[in-house]
Amino acid sequence: MLLSAGWVGFPNKFRAFRKRNTASRGYITYCRCFRVFELVRLGWLMLQYPQACLPQKGTKNTKDGLGDETVKFARLVFLIAGVYGLIVLLPMYLLEEKTGRDFPPPITHPEFYYGFIGVAVAWQVVFLILSRNPIRYRPMMIPSVLEKAAFAVPAVILFLQQRISTFTLAAGLADSVLGVLFVLAYLKTANLSE
């Protein structure tokens, strides 16, 4: 890395200090000071060489393509999906009794209720990971589309059979919109995959 690889002036007495006192309070203070020094050094390098830190217009980052517009679209889609999902799902851990009252019959198998929420929350974390680097994790977009379709399609079918409420259908339609956006992100990133 740019920070540590180029700095050769690390005093030997600190290396010896680190080996002797790895669990001491002084070592912890030393580590914090060293991190602050590295951050200051990074800031100085960014001020000295700004053209090396900023992406140039008309060029694409060859390592992972994160400067490309299509990757920005994919990142945004998966970030929004992950954050939206966590906002919707995490409160459900506290609403088991209310869910049973609002959508009868009451929940008789809480393991299914909490299992559903747990799996859905895990998928939201997958979406957040996908938003970090969609090119690297592009193969995970396919099961992500299936995850959205696994709720959206049954929601529409059950609503047509008049077995679920309009509120549940709205949640299914939100998942179907996200699923379509996932498909678009998958298709747009096809030419950028490694």
Coordinates of all heavy atoms in Angstrom, one line a residue, residues 2 7-8 10 17 59 61 67 82 87 99 106 113 139 141 161 194:
L2 N 0.3 2.3 -0.5 CA 1.1 3.6 -0.6 C 1.6 4.1 0.7 O 2.7 4.6 0.8 CB 0.2 4.6 -1.3 CG 0.8 6.0 -1.5 CD1 1.9 5.9 -2.5 CD2 -0.3 7.0 -2.0
W7 N 7.5 4.3 3.2 CA 8.1 4.9 4.3 C 9.1 4.0 4.9 O 8.8 3.0 5.5 CB 7.0 5.3 5.3 CG 7.5 6.1 6.4 CD1 8.3 7.2 6.3 CD2 7.3 5.9 7.8 NE1 8.6 7.7 7.5 CE2 8.0 6.9 8.5 CE3 6.6 5.0 8.6 CZ2 8.0 7.1 9.9 CZ3 6.6 5.1 9.9 CH2 7.3 6.2 10.6
V8 N 10.4 4.4 4.7 CA 11.5 3.5 5.2 C 12.1 4.0 6.5 O 12.9 3.4 7.1 CB 12.6 3.4 4.2 CG1 12.9 2.0 3.7 CG2 12.4 4.3 3.0
F10 N 11.2 4.2 9.5 CA 10.7 3.8 10.8 C 11.8 3.4 11.7 O 12.6 2.5 11.5 CB 9.8 2.6 10.5 CG 8.9 2.2 11.6 CD1 7.8 2.9 11.9 CD2 9.2 1.1 12.5 CE1 6.9 2.6 12.9 CE2 8.4 0.8 13.5 CZ 7.3 1.5 13.7
F17 N 10.6 -1.9 20.7 CA 9.6 -1.6 21.7 C 8.4 -2.4 21.4 O 7.8 -2.9 22.3 CB 9.3 -0.1 21.7 CG 8.2 0.3 22.6 CD1 8.5 0.5 23.9 CD2 7.0 0.6 22.1 CE1 7.5 0.8 24.8 CE2 6.0 1.0 23.0 CZ 6.2 1.1 24.3
T59 N -11.5 8.1 -18.3 CA -10.8 6.8 -18.1 C -11.6 6.0 -17.1 O -12.5 6.4 -16.4 CB -9.4 7.1 -17.4 OG1 -9.7 7.8 -16.2 CG2 -8.6 7.9 -18.3
N61 N -11.4 2.9 -14.2 CA -10.5 2.2 -13.2 C -10.3 0.8 -13.7 O -11.3 0.0 -13.8 CB -11.1 2.2 -11.8 CG -10.2 1.7 -10.8 OD1 -9.2 1.0 -11.1 ND2 -10.5 2.0 -9.5
G67 N -15.3 3.5 -11.5 CA -15.6 4.8 -12.0 C -16.6 4.8 -13.1 O -17.0 5.9 -13.6
G82 N -30.5 -2.8 0.1 CA -30.0 -3.3 1.4 C -30.5 -2.4 2.5 O -31.0 -2.9 3.5
I87 N -34.3 -1.5 7.0 CA -35.2 -0.6 7.7 C -36.6 -1.3 7.9 O -37.3 -1.1 8.9 CB -35.4 0.7 6.9 CG1 -34.1 1.6 7.1 CG2 -36.6 1.5 7.3 CD1 -34.0 2.8 6.2
T99 N -48.0 -8.4 14.7 CA -48.2 -9.0 13.4 C -49.3 -10.1 13.5 O -50.2 -10.2 12.6 CB -46.9 -9.7 12.9 OG1 -45.9 -8.7 12.8 CG2 -47.1 -10.3 11.5
P106 N -53.1 -15.7 14.7 CA -51.8 -15.4 15.4 C -50.7 -16.4 15.1 O -51.0 -17.5 14.6 CB -52.2 -15.6 16.9 CG -53.7 -15.5 16.9 CD -54.2 -15.9 15.6
Y113 N -41.4 -17.6 11.7 CA -41.5 -16.1 11.7 C -40.1 -15.6 11.8 O -39.6 -14.8 11.0 CB -42.4 -15.6 12.8 CG -42.5 -14.1 12.9 CD1 -43.3 -13.4 12.0 CD2 -41.7 -13.4 13.8 CE1 -43.4 -12.0 12.1 CE2 -41.8 -12.0 13.9 CZ -42.6 -11.3 13.0 OH -42.7 -10.0 13.1
P139 N -21.7 -12.6 -9.9 CA -22.5 -13.8 -9.9 C -23.6 -13.9 -8.8 O -24.5 -14.6 -8.9 CB -21.4 -14.9 -9.7 CG -20.2 -14.3 -10.2 CD -20.3 -12.8 -9.9
M141 N -25.6 -11.6 -8.1 CA -26.8 -10.9 -8.6 C -27.9 -11.8 -9.0 O -29.1 -11.5 -8.8 CB -26.4 -9.9 -9.7 CG -25.6 -8.8 -9.3 SD -25.3 -7.7 -10.7 CE -24.1 -6.6 -10.1
Q161 N -55.8 -14.4 -5.7 CA -56.7 -15.4 -5.1 C -57.4 -14.8 -3.8 O -58.1 -15.5 -3.2 CB -55.9 -16.6 -4.7 CG -55.3 -17.4 -5.8 CD -54.4 -18.5 -5.4 OE1 -54.1 -18.6 -4.2 NE2 -54.0 -19.3 -6.3
E194 N -15.0 -9.5 -15.0 CA -13.6 -9.9 -15.1 C -13.5 -11.3 -15.8 O -14.2 -12.1 -15.7 CB -12.9 -9.9 -13.8 CG -12.9 -8.6 -13.2 CD -12.3 -8.6 -11.8 OE1 -11.2 -9.1 -11.6 OE2 -13.0 -8.0 -10.9

